[in-house]
Amino acid sequence: MKIYKTQYTQKLFEQYYISITDCGYADADREWHDHNVCSPYSRLYYPLEGCGYLLLKGQKIALTPGHLYLIPLGTVYHYFCDDVFRHLYFHINIDAPNGYDLLREACFAEAEIPVEKSRHLLRLYQSSRFSDQMELKYELFRSLQILLSRQPVEPTFDVTLSPEIIKTIEYIREHLSLQLTTAEIAQNLYLSKNTLAKQFREEVGLPIGRYIDKLIFFQAERMLSKSSLSIKEISDSLGFCDQFYFSRKFLQHFEETPLSYRKRTKSETQT
């Protein structure tokens, strides 16, 4: 017997994480509106009835049944509804080995989908059968594949990281804290501190310290928008000396305070 393997596929499955951070069926009306929306997750919409609107880069876009839509994280836009907008939605992140979301560089995209197919997805979503949920997950991934294929430049998967750097990234994710140091990581992974620092910069393109900072504030975005933890609890969990320092650093990164960010993104959550 002969077994043939492709290292690209194996590494892709091991190193990329697709997570659905929220989902639901929204029966929206004129209260569905907000300005300058910018979320730490991508949105996948399946309109079922009525119409919603986006204002994106000066363009008014109608979200209508018979289509599916991808709004990548980091996109700044307004949304509103004149009457009714019933839709199934999913909030999605695709985390790459270097800690960044693969969809951060994507563009708004849409594709046609039969309305009955969207209704079928709603029935799957409302089902408590495991087989239905597996089918739903398959259809979501299929939708993402279709929408990504419509990007001006299709996202590429860099799977060239060495085992040592993969272990380093996994350690950082599991022990994410502002207090985490290269020396601690190297000691726990039985690696040379200087060799690890040099190799990490070469493969990831960032010093370990800056990588940790970026991952911390990406995690802070998620916690502020998705959890009920207080700002102090978030600050403590991420290793800041106090919430005021955390707030100052957050303001430097995102040009708004954690409280302002939370209020804005919480109003978007059920959309």
Side-chain angles (χ1 to χ4, degrees):
M1 179 179 69
K2 294 183 178 180
I3 299 176
Y4 301 93
K5 294 186 178 182
T6 62
Q7 294 300 313
Y8 183 87
T9 300
Q10 184 68 28
K11 289 183 178 180
L12 183 65
F13 289 163
E14 290 176 353
Q15 299 177 23
Y16 283 80
Y17 303 90
I18 301 178
S19 56
I20 299 170
T21 56
D22 191 24
C23 53
Y25 170 66
D27 188 356
D29 54 23
R30 292 184 180 181
E31 293 183 358
W32 189 77
H33 64 86
D34 205 350
H35 299 278
N36 295 320
V37 177
C38 183
S39 304
Y41 46 80
S42 298
R43 299 165 185 261
L44 191 60
Y45 283 164
Y46 296 88
L48 294 158
E49 187 177 344
C51 183
Y53 295 95
L54 303 181
L55 290 179
L56 176 61
K57 296 181 179 179
Q59 182 181 3
K60 182 179 180 181
I61 301 170
L63 309 180
T64 59
H67 298 83
L68 62 97
Y69 302 90
L70 173 68
I71 307 174
L73 77 166
T75 304
V76 180
Y77 62 98
H78 309 327
Y79 67 79
F80 63 95
C81 173
D82 289 335
D83 186 16
V84 171
F85 181 44
R86 298 185 176 97
H87 59 282
L88 187 62
Y89 71 86
F90 298 87
H91 296 170
I92 297 173
N93 291 101
I94 304 180
D95 294 330
N98 61 6
Y100 299 112
D101 194 299
L102 184 71
L103 297 176
R104 188 173 288 275
E105 303 301 323
C107 301
F108 172 84
E110 63 178 286
E112 294 184 356
I113 182 174
V115 176
E116 183 51 44
K117 181 65 169 290
S118 295
R119 290 174 180 156
H120 177 61
L121 295 183
L122 176 61
R123 289 191 290 270
L124 294 176
Y125 172 75
Q126 294 172 331
S127 171
S128 59
R129 295 179 59 196
F130 180 75
S131 60
D132 287 342
Q133 296 303 313
M134 291 298 292
E135 181 182 351
L136 177 61
K137 191 170 185 178
Y138 163 80
E139 293 294 347
L140 290 179
F141 286 5
R142 174 61 175 157
S143 293
L144 280 173
Q145 184 272 325
I146 292 171
L147 292 165
L148 288 177
S149 70
R150 297 179 178 234
Q151 295 294 311
V153 178
E154 187 169 348
T156 56
F157 294 84
D158 182 3
V159 292
T160 59
L161 298 181
S162 64
E164 293 80 9
I165 299 306
I166 292 173
K167 289 180 181 179
T168 299
I169 289 172
E170 290 174 348
Y171 186 91
I172 291 172
R173 286 177 179 272
E174 292 174 4
H175 303 85
L176 188 61
S177 169
L178 193 67
Q179 307 303 318
L180 188 60
T181 65
T182 303
E184 177 188 335
I185 298 168
Q187 180 180 0
N188 282 279
L189 296 180
Y190 305 101
L191 300 171
S192 160
K193 172 186 171 183
N194 292 335
T195 300
L196 175 61
K198 180 182 178 181
Q199 188 174 350
F200 193 95
R201 181 191 282 269
E202 290 175 350
E203 294 189 26
V204 178
L206 289 173
I208 290 180
R210 191 188 302 177
Y211 172 84
I212 292 172
D213 282 349
K214 286 183 175 292
L215 209 59
I216 279 174
F217 285 102
F218 185 56
Q219 179 66 12
E221 282 186 287
R222 291 184 176 180
M223 295 174 77
L224 286 165
S225 63
K226 293 294 183 183
S227 78
S228 58
L229 295 173
S230 69
I231 292 175
K232 182 181 185 305
E233 289 172 326
I234 293 173
S235 170
D236 291 345
S237 72
L238 294 176
F240 288 85
C241 57
D242 60 59
Q243 69 183 81
F244 305 106
Y245 180 62
F246 168 65
S247 295
R248 288 198 301 273
K249 298 297 288 184
F250 192 92
L251 179 62
Q252 291 175 10
H253 275 76
F254 300 106
E255 299 183 346
E256 65 179 320
T257 66
L259 182 59
S260 172
Y261 181 89
R262 165 164 276 175
K263 287 180 178 178
R264 178 170 59 78
T265 56
K266 284 292 187 181
S267 69
E268 305 165 16
T269 301
Q270 300 302 323
T271 60

